Structure formats: structure tokens, C-alpha cells
Amino acid sequence: MPDSVTQQRDGVRDTGDRTGPEVVLVHPQIGENIGTTARAMLNCGLGNLRLVRPREAWPNEKAVASSSGATDVLEGAKLFDTTADAVADLSRVYATTARPRDMVKPVLSPRAAAHEIRDYQETGGSVGILFGAERSGLDNDDVALADAIIEIPMNPDFSSLNLAQAVLICAYEWRLAGAAEDGGAPRRGRPQAEAATKAELLGFFEHLEAELDRAGFLYPPEKRPRMVRNIRNLFARADLTEQEVKTLRGIVASLVKGRGN
Amino acid sequence: MPDSVTQQRDGVRDTGDRTGPEVVLVHPQIGENIGTTARAMLNCGLGNLRLVRPREAWPNEKAVASSSGATDVLEGAKLFDTTADAVADLSRVYATTARPRDMVKPVLSPRAAAHEIRDYQETGGSVGILFGAERSGLDNDDVALADAIIEIPMNPDFSSLNLAQAVLICAYEWRLAGAAEDGGAPRRGRPQAEAATKAELLGFFEHLEAELDRAGFLYPPEKRPRMVRNIRNLFARADLTEQEVKTLRGIVASLVKGRGN
């Protein structure tokens, strides 16, 4: 979301969950992508970054510039010469790829993998997720090091995801997998908003209907009950607050005396 | 995912689902971000892009360069002068934001919103999702045009998502919602084809506000914008049908001429 959307919270700054899975970038070619990857990781609360022989020099100024402040993640990044070295201390490794491989390995969605990773880490396991280079992706020797494959379900005709966006999807699912629930149930945007009582609502309805009778709007009489029901229904759906009911009564009164002012 | 991960599939090239929700970028500042947004959209099979007064000239070469070939989406992008114009033909609008607003609107997760959007469009509704500018985000008048807010659950201490990544999360959830086995959100009671368009709703708002100005209700001037926003919000929440908007206009007209009858 745009920068302005940053939320403020009291308490310590969350600079990334050191217990989350290791994000392993294998031969990343572009410094900017390492920075945007660090940003995406920290957006989702992940802090553990590993780099296998990045093409550009490390530390990398362009990575810092594109990380939008996720410098803790970049400064904590560990460098390795080979993918084997990078995963040596891990007990479970996932390879992100969609290219068909002549290897028999379980293939998981990011969502299924996220739950598996959470469960695995809760029982003391250490996990890494491999992401290939921008151009060439993971080679078969890298994938051979993995226990399972994560396939991100994209448009088959345009599935080439930017590196940081592939990391974002996996990190986002990891974050949601840890949430009590995905926040799915719609909630009031302003819980403290005082909902109007039925009495207040009825008072407004009677006020409005009295004025509409006087104006001859609820006519003919045989149609009045239906018209009143429809009008009450549309306002009832608005889930009005006490203040909004007052506003509506003010609007009706104001429109009625109208030109009087 | 890295380019190498692109999947091949027989059959026509999927250049974006023209029936999916409209992605509306409000005052995007950076051409590259429009290109990476188009790429993220097409990755997830979305093709409808709308731009409200982009800061840089349009068409934009940097957008094309950063789109990695999602040129169909960029070439199909529609330009608008105002957010109101951009949503005029839509019947349901979501605003992506995490900043607390003093507006009562439902707040949904990207996942819950994705199911709601799928269900809504299946019954004939037209949907747009608003994304604010990189720096400033959506202003209150933009959010006031929305029926609901989508809050992307990020690390509260580092929730500033890149624009294209905010779009990716919403588009990814939309794509998965289409494949989901869980059935998604409960169906709506009535066909959304009956829903009023934003243009019809705005027509009513302008009619009501003109009469309230004449009655001296929207006074003093410095308070008018806030009052208008609150009034629009309460009616927007009612999810009005075209017929109900006509009824409300009839009510306003009737109350105004009132004693005339």
C-alpha cells in the first residue's frame, strides 16, 4: 500500500521475525531486487535473508536505496558461496519454481507451504525457501537440495513474477498462516461509533413519514404501506449511528422549511 | 517468480480478464510503478486498469519498460480527471488503506474482499479497487466514494507496501478466490444488476447537497466538506438500488416543494 498507509503502533519496532523461515536468494543479479525483497520480507515480519553469491558487490547501495528502510534485514543478510552452504544448517528447504522438473518432489501452493512451515517450525525445525536468479531461476542442483517445491499459482500465460513479488507472496502467506484468522469477517470501520437505537430510528422514520404525508408524497393511500416499508428498509440497511440519525432529522427539517431561510 | 519460471500452455494467450475488477490508481506519481502494477495485474489475470491524473505524462515509456511485456494492460488503461469520474460506471468500490478514518465503513481483508468481489460480479455488479498515490495515499474524499475498505494485514511497524505489491496482494487473492474450493462469501440476497451506479448515486448527492445549500444546512462553509462527506458515507453504506436512488430524489424534491402541495 502507499507509504502514507503505514500504521503506527505503540511498543517495540518489529524489525523482522528471527524465528521465521530463511529467505534464500540464489545468485540474485540486481541490487534493487535484493532491497525490494528485504522490504517485502519486513512488510510481512520476516527478517532472515541469505544471499548465495549475488552478482553485484555486497553490501550494495542500490539495495539499501530500494529497501525503503528495511536496512536491518539487509545488514543482517548472510552471504554464502553455494546453495548447499546456504541451507547446510536448515532441516527443511522449499524451492520456488514452476518449471516442470524430472524430480519426484511434493509440490505445494504458497498457502499450503505456509501452514506446513509454521507447523514444522513450531516443532523445532529450521526452514529455508529458495528463490532463483531473475533470469535463470533455480538450476536442477539447487532444486535437488529442496524437500518440496512451492508453485505460485499465476496466469499461465504471464507467470513471470518479479523476484521481490515472489518473495512477497510467500511471506504474506506465512504471515497470514500465523494470524488467528485472515481477518475475513467484515468489521465496523469505527467500532466506537454509537449505533442508533431502534427508538431513535423509529423517531426519524415517523418524522420523515409525517413530512412526506404533508407533502403528498406517500400517495395514494393504498400504496402508502408498501412505500413506507421500502423507505424504512433502505435506511435500515445503512446501519446508522445515533449522530447520523440526528443528521438525517436535521436534513428533513431543513429541506421542509427550506426557502424559509 | 524469476522469468525462467514462466509456464507454457497451449491455447490462447491470457492477456487479462476483462470481467475482473477495475484497478484504479489515483494520482500515481511514478511511471515505473504503473508498469510494475500492470505486470502484477497480468500475473494474476487482471486486465482492467484505470488511472486518475497520473503525475507523469501518459503514455509513459518507463511504465512500458517496467511492465515486462504487460503492454496490453497499459495500452488498455483508461484515463480520468477525477476519482469520481473513474468510478462513475461502477456499482461497488473498495478503497485500500490502513490509515484510521473517521468514517463508518466495513473493513475487509484482501482475502475476504476477493470472495465478496467474485460473488458480487457473478450477480452482475461492476467493481473497482482504489489504490492511492505512493506518498499521500487516498484522501478522505476518495475513500468516501468507496463502499468498503480493504486493509492489507502487514507488519504494523513496517506496513508501507510498494504500490505494485499492494495491487499484487489484492489481485493474487482475487485469482485464488476464483479457484477456491471453500465457496467464498455468502451470496447476496438480490441481483447486483439492480444496484445503482456511482453516477446515479452522485446525481442524488449533488441534488441533495444543492437543496441543503439553498436551505442553509451546509453551513458554515469551512465545515461543509466534512458534512457532505458524512452524509455521502451514510447513504453509500445503504448499498442502494437504482429504484431506491429514484425514491430518495423524489423524497428530496417532495420535501422541498412541500407545503406547495
Side-chain angles (χ1 to χ4, degrees):
Chain A
M1 242 171 292
D3 296 347
S4 65
V5 156
T6 301
Q7 296 173 331
Q8 296 309 322
R9 189 182 66 170
D10 296 326
V12 294
R13 188 165 181 287
D14 179 355
T15 57
D17 182 344
R18 299 300 172 188
T19 69
E22 305 281 324
V23 171
V24 184
L25 304 187
V26 179
H27 307 323
Q29 299 173 288
I30 302 164
E32 281 88 345
N33 286 344
I34 302 174
T36 51
T37 292
R39 178 184 185 179
M41 287 171 61
L42 194 51
N43 282 145
C44 300
L46 287 181
N48 298 333
L49 178 62
R50 298 183 176 194
L51 306 174
V52 179
R53 253 192 297 108
R55 190 186 63 184
E56 297 179 347
W58 192 262
N60 186 286
E61 283 186 5
K62 285 177 293 179
V64 174
S66 65
S67 72
S68 297
T71 47
D72 294 338
V73 176
L74 293 175
E75 287 164 7
K78 300 190 187 77
L79 261 71
F80 299 87
D81 285 334
T82 68
T83 308
D85 292 345
V87 301
D89 63 324
L90 304 176
S91 49
R92 187 164 178 81
V93 173
Y94 296 83
T96 54
T97 171
R99 191 169 36 169
R101 311 279 184 161
D102 55 359
M103 303 179 198
V104 182
K105 286 185 193 295
V107 177
L108 290 81
S109 69
R111 190 162 301 172
H115 288 286
E116 195 176 88
I117 290 168
R118 288 269 181 186
D119 295 342
Y120 193 80
Q121 292 198 307
E122 274 167 26
T123 56
S126 54
V127 176
I129 308 174
L130 304 179
F131 295 86
E134 292 85 345
R135 292 252 163 284
S136 51
L138 294 169
D139 65 31
N140 285 337
D141 293 336
D142 296 328
V143 177
L145 293 166
D147 302 284
I149 289 171
I150 297 176
E151 199 173 288
I152 303 183
M154 288 287 136
N155 171 0
D157 293 324
F158 194 80
S159 64
S160 164
L161 262 183
N162 165 275
L163 178 57
Q165 291 185 311
V167 172
L168 175 69
I169 296 283
C170 294
Y172 165 77
E173 289 288 4
W174 176 83
R175 182 169 187 82
L176 287 198
E181 35 91 37
D182 72 358
R187 63 177 198 269
R188 298 278 301 226
R190 195 176 53 177
Q192 71 275 18
E194 289 279 336
T197 65
K198 294 306 169 196
E200 289 161 342
L201 204 55
L202 197 62
F204 161 64
F205 289 153
E206 285 162 355
H207 176 190
L208 173 63
E209 289 150 17
E211 292 298 348
L212 290 176
D213 278 329
R214 210 179 317 164
F217 183 79
L218 299 174
Y219 188 86
E222 61 271 22
K223 286 193 178 170
R224 187 181 187 282
R226 175 82 182 268
M227 294 169 82
V228 165
R229 204 161 48 236
N230 291 342
I231 293 167
R232 289 187 174 198
N233 278 335
L234 79 85
F235 281 106
R237 278 207 313 277
D239 193 16
L240 298 164
T241 66
E242 183 180 350
Q243 180 51 54
E244 286 169 337
V245 169
K246 289 200 183 91
T247 300
L248 285 169
R249 295 192 70 147
I251 286 175
V252 171
S254 159
L255 290 175
V256 167
K257 57 178 156 62
R259 295 190 192 72
N261 290 16
Chain B
M1 237 172 295
D3 295 347
S4 65
V5 158
T6 301
Q7 296 175 330
Q8 296 311 321
R9 188 182 66 169
D10 296 326
V12 295
R13 187 166 183 285
D14 179 354
T15 57
D17 182 344
R18 299 300 172 190
T19 68
E22 304 281 326
V23 171
V24 185
L25 304 186
V26 179
H27 307 322
Q29 299 173 289
I30 303 165
E32 281 87 344
N33 285 344
I34 302 174
T36 50
T37 291
R39 178 182 184 180
M41 287 171 62
L42 195 51
N43 282 145
C44 300
L46 287 181
N48 298 332
L49 177 61
R50 297 182 177 195
L51 306 174
V52 178
R53 253 192 295 109
R55 190 186 62 183
E56 296 179 348
W58 191 264
N60 185 285
E61 283 185 5
K62 285 176 293 179
V64 173
S66 66
S67 73
S68 297
T71 47
D72 293 340
V73 175
L74 293 175
E75 285 164 9
K78 301 192 186 79
L79 260 73
F80 299 88
D81 285 335
T82 68
T83 307
D85 292 343
V87 302
D89 62 326
L90 305 176
S91 51
R92 187 163 180 82
V93 173
Y94 296 83
T96 54
T97 173
R99 193 168 32 166
R101 312 280 185 157
D102 58 354
M103 301 180 193
V104 180
K105 285 186 194 292
V107 178
L108 289 81
S109 69
R111 191 162 299 171
H115 288 292
E116 194 176 270
I117 290 167
R118 288 270 182 185
D119 293 339
Y120 193 83
Q121 293 196 309
E122 274 168 28
T123 55
S126 54
V127 177
I129 308 174
L130 303 179
F131 295 87
E134 291 85 346
R135 292 253 161 284
S136 51
L138 294 169
D139 66 30
N140 284 338
D141 292 333
D142 295 329
V143 177
L145 292 166
D147 301 284
I149 288 170
I150 297 176
E151 200 173 286
I152 302 184
M154 288 288 137
N155 170 0
D157 293 324
F158 194 80
S159 63
S160 163
L161 261 183
N162 164 275
L163 177 57
Q165 291 185 313
V167 172
L168 175 69
I169 295 284
C170 294
Y172 165 77
E173 289 287 6
W174 177 84
R175 182 169 187 83
L176 288 199
E181 274 93 33
D182 62 18
R187 293 221 168 272
R188 310 182 56 96
R190 63 179 159 76
Q192 294 309 324
E194 296 172 12
T197 65
K198 294 304 173 189
E200 289 162 341
L201 203 57
L202 283 170
F204 162 63
F205 288 154
E206 283 157 10
H207 176 190
L208 173 63
E209 289 150 18
E211 293 298 349
L212 289 177
D213 278 328
R214 212 179 313 164
F217 183 80
L218 299 174
Y219 189 85
E222 61 271 22
K223 286 193 178 170
R224 189 183 187 282
R226 176 79 177 271
M227 295 170 81
V228 164
R229 205 155 55 225
N230 292 341
I231 293 167
R232 288 185 174 201
N233 275 330
L234 79 86
F235 282 107
R237 277 206 317 278
D239 193 16
L240 298 165
T241 66
E242 184 178 351
Q243 181 50 53
E244 286 169 337
V245 170
K246 288 199 181 94
T247 299
L248 285 169
R249 296 192 70 148
I251 286 174
V252 171
S254 159
L255 290 176
V256 166
K257 58 177 156 59
R259 295 190 192 72
N261 289 15

